[in-house]
Amino acid sequence: MFSQPFLSVKISNALRLPMYAALAFAAAQRPAAAQTSPAAPKPSYQVEEIPVPKGIAPEIGGLGFTPSGKLVVLTRRSGILTALPTADATQMQWTRFSDQSLHNANGLFVISDREMLVSQMPELTRVLDNDGDGVADEYRTEASFNLSGAYHEVTAGPVPDGKDGFFIALNTASHSGFTFEHTRGVFSEVSRRGRNFASVQYRGWVMHWDPKTGLTPWAKGFRSPNGIQTGPDGAVWVTDNQGDFRTTNPLYHVEKGLFYGHPSSLVWDPEYVKADPKRDPLKQPMAELDAMRTPAAVLFPYGFSRSPAEPLFDTTNGKFGPFKGQMLVADAAAPRIIRVMLEKVDGVMQGACVDFYSHNGLRNGSNRMAFSPEGTDLYVGQTMREWAGAMEGLQRIKFNGGNVFEILSMHLTRDGFELEFTQPVDSGVGEKPEAFATESYWYEYASNYGGPESESEKVRASSVKWSADRRKVRLVYPKMQAQKVMRVNLTGFTSGAQPLGHAMVAYTINRLAK
Amino acid sequence: MSLSLSSRSLALFACLPVLVQPAALAQKPAKAETLKVSINVVPGAIRFETTRFDVTAGARVTLTLSNDCVMPHNLILIKPEAEPALVAAVNTMGLEGMDKHFVPDVPGIIAATKLLQPFSKEQLSFSAPAAEGDYPYVCTFPGHWFTMRGVMRVRAAGVALAAPVKSGGNVEQVPDALKNSGMTHKPLGTPEKPFVMRTFAPDPGLDPAVFAHHGVGKDGVKYDPATRLDVTEKVTDPATGAVREVPVVRKAEKGIAGAIAVNHGPDFSYVWDSTECRLLYVWRGGFLDMNTYWGKEPGSGRPKMYIPLLLGHLVYRASGSMPLEGGVKTAPVFLGYKMEKGIPEFRYRVGTKTYREKVLPAGLDRFELRITPEEAGGANVWIVPPGETAVTSVRGEGGAIVVSVKDRPEPPQPAATPAAEAKTKKP
């Protein structure tokens, strides 16, 4: 379809060199010296820019692959593109699969070369190429979403439920947007109140849709859930954005019927308004809302993630490095992808987060991700429409092999943590508690738009015990408390003189280990 | 390389890219040592060029912030322990932040510029704190602070000051791929290949009856999540001088949420609504200016209005309820559309009946609706509403109902309302 060669947007070689971004801010940054050394080995992970043809706005709302191996790129206003990935990212032959009709499309599930499910502002749409000419000729409405008229009422998903259905997350409206005189869907005056609000039905909900039962509400209490994913075990994971009733950015393990803390969606819960159709959740005492809500599995440190987007499980079985089965989370407001290490403690999912990749050629605005069929490349699509700097485009992170030296896992124990590393840690390193500088703090549940770390205190491990193979270390603390984030900064860690890639890790303790 | 405030090191200053120099030295040596610091904004990168500079404890400092970026920026220098409170306060400022230059009233601010508009600068004068330490400076314009920041290091008297650290060479700048995309904010189709776009569309003041299956959106009241109360403002009655507290109202706006806008080139455009499942209006002389939704230049700031502007003049507007015989008792259900030789054919259900509908230009002052009932026999038919004079004929043609409509041209739409202009100024 694009017979004319298009001007490629090549990034300079300099960008591909391992460079350390000397931002004063991030506590997670590693020391500069080792990485900038000319003798440094080829980095295990490298970012490549993927240019798209002129006339396409590379605002990426979804990424996927067809069973035949074609990359599918959903854009927010330029429709759907496909291309077979090439080794040289500038040489991809792009084809327009759809027209440009989709409104702020922000979720994609690829069924085949000829069929895709797309969520756009007003609906879930099945995009079909019935005649097989490679271009969609039908846009079939599968489910309708209500809109009050706010730009913020975007969707995330569909993600498959493992059977015939899908989950979709519906964002609330923002007070920075508009409310139309004529709303799509019944308008609730009660729920027009709020910084972020749900004046039309099912805003702030995670929905379930399947062809037989249609669209049904599934879980509530979300604010700006711009990331949804189902795990290999079928569990539903949703990221939400810091703001009102969100002190920091959370990752939720979502279960049917539960409430996740942002109150506006409650007006659309028949049980909630049973006794009083005009019941206003914004007038309900915080303590009551707090008692109703299910806390986040992971509270991302705010400096760490300003705007989490799509989570994606590493299903590559080792093709993308040592983090098999772990979750990666795109971050839309910083050049960063986060890695999440989850575990079930006392029946509840919780865990730790660490940088997976930051700076070094990655753009701000990462929104959607997909692994290549081979598993060696992570495709990353960006968009935030000018919210904070350069944020539109398409990239991929290649795994080159080599020694990855990172924290592999962090387990909560009865009296502290066990940290596991991908490589043996040099002896003489990390022998003393000071090498594990630890802070403990909490994010209060509050109505405010964001909030500080509270109850913050420095804590010191009382003992450090290494395994014989120097891959695991047990940290014991004088006391462990539930409802704390414990953030550990590792200092001076090396493996065969290779510095630890990312040295700050933060564990959200909802439940103590028994 | 180290910097000290002695005259011996003056020669060094000449070769420094960022100025940290004792300006007063030439005239008044020794006593009134004033450190001059210049900090530039790296255009388009949400970064300060200088990410670290040193000062001597207690020294007088003049700091010049130059904003050569297309976005507004400020600089707040703050005590390190005060930063969490600053961040929290900025986050609660909302829209009024603009008026306050995103400088909240929190303790610990050492110095702060105004919100500098593009291509402007401001000089601050202050005394460096007496306590040694790292004092962060940040831009608090929303979304900027996490990359746009640096540190002022306060050194003890007599300690040599290090050269300022610039971020230029060692922080990668990944270009915004949108900038070279060649996208236009005024998309156009052709008669052969119309441009189809679902979007929030302008409501040019249509008869409210056409929105029969919409909700009734009401004005909202600004809400403060920190206090959990509606926000009020004081209003003075001009007649009596009495002051009253009234809620800050956010008016409901005219817009169409589920619109499908279609353009056949400059001569023919229409909005068909996926909520009402009917043609709402037709216009000629242009399509939509998407600047308000997408931004004018690719990668430039967006006005954040989200309703495009209608270019040209209306020639038809729907009125009254849906003109199907027997009326419409339940909300119509939009089923999607197929592209037939580049032309969209919308499909919808009303009650138990399913229809397909095309809108086609028919010359320079006419157009046609082609409505095909899918169920054979006895389907509802399109009726000419009482008083409707634009419809010139309704005829059957191969299973379709063809409704011919003659233009009723209206004056051109205003290019932009004053409110829209105001909102277009800032990203």
Side-chain angles (χ1 to χ4, degrees):
Chain A
M1 187 145 276
F2 296 102
S3 52
Q4 297 293 320
F6 53 83
L7 195 69
S8 66
V9 189
K10 282 184 186 163
I11 59 169
S12 70
N13 281 335
L15 283 182
R16 297 181 189 183
L17 293 175
M19 289 180 306
Y20 173 63
L23 289 183
F25 167 64
Q29 301 299 347
R30 68 185 101 178
Q35 244 204 3
T36 49
S37 154
K42 192 179 183 187
S44 291
Y45 295 99
Q46 272 180 302
V47 169
E48 290 181 352
E49 184 74 10
I50 306 173
V52 299
K54 284 226 178 224
I56 301 287
E59 303 169 329
I60 311 303
L63 290 173
F65 282 86
T66 68
S68 67
K70 269 189 207 158
L71 168 66
V72 182
V73 178
L74 173 71
T75 67
R76 289 171 68 189
R77 60 172 151 132
S78 292
I80 302 168
L81 310 176
T82 63
L84 266 178
T86 48
D88 178 349
T90 65
Q91 298 304 311
M92 291 197 196
Q93 300 298 306
W94 293 94
T95 303
R96 273 193 200 270
F97 178 70
S98 81
D99 62 19
Q100 295 165 75
S101 65
L102 304 167
H103 185 190
N104 238 340
N106 201 32
L108 169 72
F109 181 78
V110 178
I111 296 166
S112 72
D113 281 352
R114 293 168 62 164
E115 185 175 3
M116 301 171 195
L117 278 172
V118 169
S119 68
Q120 51 175 329
M121 295 289 274
E123 62 181 49
L124 177 69
T125 307
R126 193 181 296 273
V127 183
L128 291 154
D129 169 19
N130 291 306
D131 61 11
D133 68 352
V135 181
D137 43 43
E138 183 178 356
Y139 300 79
R140 191 188 297 164
T141 307
E142 293 288 7
S144 173
F145 307 141
N146 292 329
L147 296 164
S148 69
Y151 72 96
H152 202 270
E153 292 171 315
V154 294
T155 56
V159 291
D161 69 356
K163 295 173 198 140
D164 299 326
F166 294 86
F167 295 103
I168 299 151
L170 301 179
N171 276 234
T172 55
S174 161
H175 78 177
S176 303
F178 286 170
T179 298
F180 290 163
E181 288 176 359
H182 308 289
T183 54
R184 184 174 162 99
V186 171
F187 179 83
S188 159
E189 214 167 344
V190 172
S191 201
R192 170 61 182 82
R193 290 186 80 221
R195 166 64 178 76
N196 273 51
F197 53 91
S199 66
V200 292
Q201 208 170 33
Y202 301 129
R203 290 281 141 202
W205 286 70
V206 167
M207 308 296 286
H208 182 264
W209 174 82
D210 75 42
K212 288 201 187 77
T213 57
L215 192 68
T216 49
W218 203 76
K220 65 220 167 211
F222 299 95
R223 177 183 178 272
S224 184
N226 183 34
I228 185 165
Q229 194 59 264
T230 39
D233 60 352
V236 181
W237 295 91
V238 169
T239 59
D240 207 329
N241 274 250
Q242 188 251 19
D244 50 328
F245 296 92
R246 292 276 186 264
T247 312
T248 191
N249 293 296
L251 169 70
Y252 291 109
H253 174 223
V254 180
E255 294 178 276
K256 189 175 183 180
L258 298 185
F259 167 63
Y260 291 88
H262 193 281
S264 296
S265 54
L266 288 169
V267 296
W268 302 111
D269 177 2
E271 280 301 309
Y272 187 82
V273 295
K274 205 172 182 178
D276 173 10
K278 294 207 161 177
R279 189 177 179 191
D280 181 355
L282 290 184
K283 290 181 179 159
Q284 194 168 3
M286 285 303 292
E288 288 179 27
L289 290 170
D290 197 10
M292 288 165 60
R293 82 188 171 110
T294 300
V298 173
L299 293 163
F300 297 114
Y302 188 53
F304 201 65
S305 166
R306 283 264 308 192
S307 184
E310 183 162 75
L312 182 68
F313 283 91
D314 180 348
T315 50
T316 67
N317 226 349
K319 300 277 179 50
F320 193 65
F323 308 116
K324 184 177 167 181
Q326 296 190 2
M327 178 194 283
L328 301 177
V329 178
D331 192 275
R336 172 174 289 138
I337 290 166
I338 304 156
R339 181 161 56 88
V340 181
M341 298 165 279
L342 295 162
E343 61 180 353
K344 194 176 244 182
V345 176
D346 192 16
V348 170
M349 294 304 295
Q350 61 187 35
C353 59
V354 63
D355 260 5
F356 165 69
Y357 193 99
S358 59
H359 300 279
N360 293 307
L362 187 68
R363 188 184 281 113
N364 279 3
S366 294
N367 185 41
R368 300 290 181 249
M369 302 191 290
F371 281 109
S372 64
E374 305 76 36
T376 54
D377 295 353
L378 177 69
Y379 284 75
V380 183
Q382 289 123 359
T383 180
M384 261 290 148
R385 289 203 174 161
E386 292 291 314
W387 185 55
M391 299 184 108
E392 318 295 322
L394 180 63
Q395 298 184 312
R396 66 183 175 195
I397 301 177
K398 293 190 86 69
F399 179 55
N400 297 322
N403 287 334
V404 176
F405 180 40
E406 298 281 357
I407 297 165
L408 179 62
S409 66
M410 185 175 192
H411 294 296
L412 186 70
T413 62
R414 287 181 65 177
D415 52 9
F417 297 106
E418 182 180 82
L419 284 168
E420 187 177 357
F421 297 85
T422 56
Q423 306 281 339
V425 175
D426 293 340
S427 59
V429 167
E431 303 291 352
K432 292 189 176 151
E434 287 69 32
F436 302 87
T438 308
E439 297 159 90
S440 147
Y441 64 91
W442 190 236
Y443 289 111
E444 292 298 331
Y445 176 57
S447 62
N448 293 20
Y449 192 99
E453 297 172 3
S454 55
E455 306 161 20
S456 180
E457 58 174 330
K458 288 197 167 73
V459 292
R460 189 177 183 278
S462 52
S463 93
V464 174
K465 268 195 196 127
W466 283 92
S467 64
D469 65 2
R470 297 284 300 177
R471 283 177 179 268
K472 289 182 183 175
V473 63
R474 282 192 82 130
L475 302 176
V476 174
Y477 292 89
K479 67 172 179 186
M480 296 294 285
Q481 284 177 276
Q483 299 207 319
K484 290 283 181 196
V485 178
M486 283 178 81
R487 181 167 52 205
V488 185
N489 271 289
L490 306 180
T491 312
F493 277 62
T494 52
S495 174
Q498 183 182 355
L500 184 65
H502 298 93
M504 187 193 91
V505 62
Y507 191 106
T508 303
I509 308 174
N510 285 312
R511 299 286 179 94
L512 292 169
K514 284 186 174 164
Chain B
M1 187 169 68
S2 70
L3 264 183
S4 76
L5 292 174
S6 73
S7 54
R8 287 192 305 276
S9 57
L10 259 182
L12 285 175
F13 295 131
C15 61
L16 284 175
V18 170
L19 297 172
V20 177
Q21 66 182 38
L25 266 189
Q27 294 84 19
K28 276 195 267 174
K31 202 183 167 204
E33 287 171 345
T34 299
L35 278 162
K36 267 194 175 176
V37 183
S38 296
I39 296 181
N40 298 325
V41 172
V42 182
I46 323 267
R47 282 193 293 117
F48 294 120
E49 188 182 35
T50 303
T51 54
R52 195 186 80 190
F53 64 92
D54 286 4
V55 296
T56 303
R60 287 299 298 169
V61 181
T62 63
L63 186 158
T64 306
L65 177 66
S66 304
N67 180 19
D68 290 334
C69 176
V70 295
M71 286 172 268
H73 298 287
N74 68 7
L75 182 151
I76 299 183
L77 178 67
I78 192 159
K79 292 179 180 169
E81 67 275 13
E83 193 180 343
L86 171 72
V87 171
V90 169
N91 280 333
T92 57
M93 289 180 93
L95 290 176
E96 76 274 24
M98 292 296 287
D99 304 328
K100 295 180 177 168
H101 301 278
F102 291 102
V103 182
D105 185 17
V106 294
I109 293 179
I110 299 162
T113 68
K114 296 195 290 285
L115 188 65
L116 292 191
Q117 291 308 310
F119 310 106
S120 63
K121 56 174 71 179
E122 183 178 344
Q123 192 177 71
L124 300 172
S125 290
F126 58 92
S127 293
E132 289 174 68
D134 291 352
Y135 293 78
Y137 54 90
V138 295
C139 171
T140 56
F141 189 79
H144 289 190
W145 73 267
F146 54 101
T147 56
M148 200 160 179
R149 54 190 297 117
V151 172
M152 178 179 79
R153 293 202 307 187
V154 175
R155 316 297 270 170
V159 174
L161 303 183
V165 173
K166 295 181 72 177
S167 63
N170 56 2
V171 172
E172 73 273 33
Q173 275 205 59
V174 188
D176 189 335
L178 185 60
K179 287 213 192 297
N180 294 313
S181 68
M183 287 299 289
T184 168
H185 63 287
K186 291 182 180 175
L188 274 183
T190 64
E192 298 74 34
K193 195 169 180 3
F195 188 86
V196 182
M197 176 175 62
R198 305 191 68 168
T199 179
F200 289 163
D203 166 9
L206 294 174
D207 175 5
V210 303
F211 295 105
H213 306 100
H214 279 72
V216 181
K218 302 257 176 70
D219 297 346
V221 174
K222 194 173 157 67
Y223 175 83
D224 179 358
T227 60
R228 306 192 72 194
L229 295 171
D230 293 337
V231 177
T232 57
E233 60 185 349
K234 290 192 170 71
V235 177
T236 308
D237 188 315
T240 65
V243 178
R244 287 181 307 139
E245 290 267 338
V246 296
V248 177
V249 172
R250 187 84 200 263
K251 300 288 283 181
E253 302 272 350
K254 288 195 183 305
I256 301 163
I260 305 175
V262 182
N263 172 264
H264 287 241
D267 289 334
F268 188 76
S269 303
Y270 64 91
V271 160
W272 198 94
D273 183 36
S274 70
T275 313
E276 299 296 336
C277 295
R278 65 186 287 199
L279 177 69
L280 291 190
Y281 57 89
V282 178
W283 73 105
R284 298 180 192 270
F287 185 42
L288 295 171
D289 181 345
M290 298 300 291
N291 174 30
T292 44
Y293 204 154
W294 295 345
K296 192 171 279 181
E297 301 302 327
S300 72
R302 292 180 170 81
K304 296 193 166 54
M305 244 182 67
Y306 309 105
I307 303 174
L309 301 175
L310 200 146
L311 305 172
H313 63 278
L314 289 175
V315 297
Y316 169 82
R317 52 171 83 205
S319 61
S321 56
M322 202 174 188
L324 284 174
E325 193 179 61
V328 176
K329 292 177 183 70
T330 56
V333 178
F334 181 57
L335 301 173
Y337 57 95
K338 283 187 178 174
M339 298 300 288
E340 289 205 340
K341 296 187 177 123
I343 308 286
E345 183 171 50
F346 309 110
R347 192 161 172 264
Y348 55 95
R349 193 168 61 234
V350 179
T352 56
K353 302 285 194 289
T354 309
Y355 301 86
R356 298 197 306 269
E357 182 168 329
K358 274 185 192 171
V359 183
L360 296 165
L364 288 176
D365 63 350
R366 280 169 200 280
F367 62 92
E368 287 177 355
L369 290 177
R370 299 181 74 88
I371 302 163
T372 307
E374 287 192 358
E375 289 78 14
N380 290 347
V381 294
W382 215 87
I383 53 163
V384 181
E388 175 61 87
T389 54
V391 175
T392 53
S393 75
V394 179
R395 65 182 193 277
E397 191 180 292
I401 304 153
V402 180
V403 182
S404 289
V405 186
K406 189 170 185 312
D407 281 9
R408 280 193 299 199
E410 297 183 19
Q413 290 289 304
T417 64
E421 283 294 342
K423 282 166 185 157
T424 316
K425 277 182 186 149
K426 284 200 182 63

